[in-house]
Amino acid sequence: MKWLDHLEEWLITVLMGVATLITFLAVIHRYASGFAIPGLQDWLLRQDVSWAQEATIYLFVWMAKFGAAYGVRTGIHVGVDVAINRLSERTRKKFIIFGLLAGAFFTFALASFGGSFVWENGAHYRIFSILGLNLDGLTKGPVTPDMEMPTWIVYCAIPFGSGLMCFRFLQVAWTFIRTGELPHHDHGHVEGLEEGVEEDAAPDLHPQEHAR
Amino acid sequence: MNGLIIFGLLLTLMLTGMPVSIALGLTVLTFIFGFTDVPTQAVALKLFTGIENFEIMAVPFFILAGNFLTHGGVAKRMITFAASMVGHWYGGLGLAGVLACALFAAVSGSSPATVVAIGSILLPAMIKAGFPKSFGAGVITTSGALGILIPPSIVMVMFSVSTNTSLGALFMAGVVPGIVLAFLLGLTTWYRARKNNYPRLPKATWAARGKAFRESFWGLMLIVIVMGGIYAGLFTPTEAAAMSAVYAFIVAVFVYKDLNLSDVPRVLLASANMSAMLLYIITNAVLFSFVLTNEQIPQHLADWMVGMGLGPIAFLLVCNLLLLVAGNFMEPSSIVLIMAPILFPVAVKMGIDPVHFGIMMVVNMEVGMCHPPVGLNLYVASGITKMGITELTVAVWPWLLTMLGFLVVVTYYPPLTLWLPHMLNMR
């Protein structure tokens, strides 16, 4: 499963970087095209950047869906654990497994809603037309306002992202049942602090672990 | 009745310890399947369109900007600058800690990271200089929370998104209370240091101050770019956030050289991780607030409160108590996203200014980060100081009281927040 981990990390890193660059360039374009530099100004005015905002939104939506799946693996999705931390170790474990399975159930439900939504909004038509099958009663589905991209392609983020997230929840639950270990995100991590101090700096977000 | 079912469900699910976003989502699904006939297809669509909004995208951009500058090197520069400016007064390094925390927190955008960055550098120095450990811990834990009040602030973006309040106005409104709170925390530090006669630093020369300022200048410019850009109308808040992310990248890699180009993918990944988590909560909170509005729960609540003869003063008191209790269990973004859709319509009906209400919520969140049982700053500080939570709670007490007093002032004296945005004609 290493390839899936790498693909996931690589995908959200690129989406984050590209979205930032696009918005940055669109703003620069807006101001740079105001300067009367021969040649450059004409070239800049010929460029159409009206799609930048829409593209940023979609890139971030994809980043959010797949990043949320990555977040399950890094343990960044936190809940209210004050109540269950007061329970006995066995009961607490059961609650944690329940929480993880609830996450898997919810994301599975979303993946299936999203999947049927995408299917009925153009994916069905597109795939059948590629395969040369009967298109009676099928619709092409709407397109996005600026980029005129079929919306079902954009909305694919829901079935795929949620599906991956569901898989991650199951993966984490399985590891927890087998080894009792949960991924744990360090909210206070800061780079560039002196060696040694940085180790001390690991914050104690799960104090119950010491109570064992 | 439906309101009780929804909140009962949410509370039960949350208490099982599952992620807040999942608890919100499952509450919505259960309620829609069990008690209404809203088609689930509408839910699927909302899942996507919920965050299909350019304003929300300020969240990932601000997180990215903050992550580029959340670095020990930046923290050191801020501390040197702060110490050269205020170190010679009573409280010395402690006072410098308040100022350094305020500056670093504003730039990095993360309270726990501020506590760790400033604390790991400053606390050993303070102990060496002869301050008791608890004094230093108290200063850093509480001052670290200043970040969510001084713009740019993620929590304010959350409030703006869930209530459609102008983000520019919220940012402006945060400036004066942020400075006042930093001043009050500094005053508490000064007073306690003077009483106990803690050591002071030798007065820095103006040349040293100038050098320290030039060093920290590039980091502090980030705030100027965001605020200046939004106020001058050069950028929308989201564009300002993107510009600040690119600016922070240039400063971190080419000016400060704290990061190499090869570190950039790691920063991008860490920012994507954090932003995706917040965006996931937002998505589910949008669903949740869709259900609340659909069931007209805020309206019912408002009618009921007015019917009870509850005026704005009593309402704000109830809000404060509710938010302080919520601050015991959840982190700020989740609280704002869950509570704002319910409380905000009531506040508007009572004639409370939206911006004032937003700042009041943010100050509440700040207090919540510093008090037990689950103040995130407390846990982080307990990690770096090796002090127990109970011991730390005692240590932060004087500053926490100052913050609570300040909360009362912010709640009942709107001009403190509204003066600046109104003067600049931002509403």
Side-chain angles (χ1 to χ4, degrees), chain A residues 155-172:
Chain A
Y155 289 175
C156 272
I158 304 178
F160 290 125
S162 285
L164 184 62
M165 199 167 168
C166 174
F167 172 70
R168 292 298 184 200
F169 268 119
L170 293 174
Q171 213 178 16
V172 169

Side-chain angles (χ1 to χ4, degrees), chain B residues 156 159 165 170 344 353-363:
Chain B
M156 287 187 198
F159 183 82
T165 309
L170 278 170
F344 183 75
D353 187 283
V355 174
H356 171 225
F357 191 70
I359 299 297
M360 188 202 89
M361 276 192 93
V362 171
V363 175

Side-chain angles (χ1 to χ4, degrees), chain B residues 18-312:
Chain B
M18 66 177 66
V20 174
S21 44
I22 302 290
L24 278 168
L26 277 177
T27 304
V28 173
L29 279 195
T30 320
F31 184 74
I32 285 182
F33 267 119
F35 303 91
T36 66
D37 36 45
V38 177
T40 41
Q41 285 289 317
V43 178
L45 188 62
K46 263 267 172 263
L47 273 178
F48 198 86
T49 53
I51 58 168
E52 206 176 324
N53 170 343
F54 197 57
E55 277 69 57
I56 295 179
M57 302 312 163
V59 172
F61 285 140
F62 277 134
I63 287 177
L64 182 59
N67 276 0
F68 274 121
L69 294 176
T70 304
H71 192 276
V74 179
K76 250 179 233 139
R77 291 181 186 92
M78 301 287 182
I79 291 172
T80 316
F81 172 57
S84 76
M85 296 307 290
V86 297
H88 58 288
W89 289 331
Y90 281 105
L93 282 173
L95 215 48
V98 175
L99 186 58
C101 277
L103 299 176
F104 188 80
V107 171
S108 82
S110 158
S111 283
T114 303
V115 174
V116 172
I118 303 287
S120 328
I121 301 171
L122 202 63
L123 276 177
M126 283 179 82
I127 292 166
K128 213 190 234 166
F131 286 91
K133 200 175 183 182
S134 60
F135 184 80
V139 170
I140 306 292
T141 311
T142 45
S143 308
L146 279 168
I148 55 177
L149 187 54
I150 301 176
S153 151
I154 306 281
V155 181
M156 287 187 198
V157 180
M158 299 291 185
F159 183 82
S160 155
V161 162
S162 62
T163 62
N164 276 324
T165 309
S166 150
L167 183 57
L170 278 170
F171 275 4
M172 276 304 167
V175 173
V176 175
I179 293 172
V180 171
L181 182 56
F183 176 79
L184 290 176
L185 291 175
L187 198 67
T188 314
T189 312
W190 180 84
Y191 174 75
R192 301 225 330 149
R194 207 178 81 131
K195 214 173 73 180
N196 295 316
N197 205 13
Y198 290 145
R200 295 153 70 170
L201 294 175
K203 191 168 179 173
T205 60
W206 281 103
R209 286 178 181 175
K211 185 169 173 291
F213 176 70
R214 276 197 305 280
E215 281 276 297
S216 54
F217 171 80
W218 297 106
L220 296 177
M221 271 303 283
L222 184 104
I223 310 172
V224 177
I225 289 181
V226 172
M227 299 302 284
I230 296 175
Y231 174 63
L234 293 173
F235 324 121
T236 64
T238 307
E239 286 172 349
M243 298 306 275
S244 72
V246 175
Y247 174 79
F249 158 74
I250 294 170
V251 169
V253 176
F254 299 108
V255 181
Y256 283 164
K257 299 194 174 71
D258 286 336
L259 295 178
N260 295 320
L261 271 178
S262 58
D263 294 322
V264 172
R266 211 163 27 75
V267 176
L268 284 171
L269 183 63
S271 313
N273 192 14
M274 176 60 89
S275 334
M277 183 270 287
L278 291 173
L279 289 172
Y280 204 69
I281 301 180
I282 298 181
T283 319
N284 291 297
V286 167
L287 275 180
F288 184 67
S289 99
F290 163 75
V291 170
L292 288 182
T293 321
N294 212 29
E295 299 297 317
Q296 299 190 321
I297 286 163
Q299 287 89 321
H300 291 320
L301 187 68
D303 292 343
W304 180 72
M305 283 197 162
V306 173
M308 293 270 289
L310 212 62

Side-chain angles (χ1 to χ4, degrees), chain A residues 103-140:
Chain A
F105 168 74
F106 176 68
T107 46
F108 176 77
L110 290 195
S112 56
F113 292 154
S116 65
F117 183 79
V118 164
W119 184 248
E120 279 155 30
N121 275 276
H124 195 176
Y125 178 92
R126 187 82 191 109
I127 289 167
F128 271 37
S129 75
I130 289 174
L131 297 175
L133 295 170
N134 183 12
L135 293 175
D136 288 347
L138 299 181
T139 52
K140 266 189 166 171

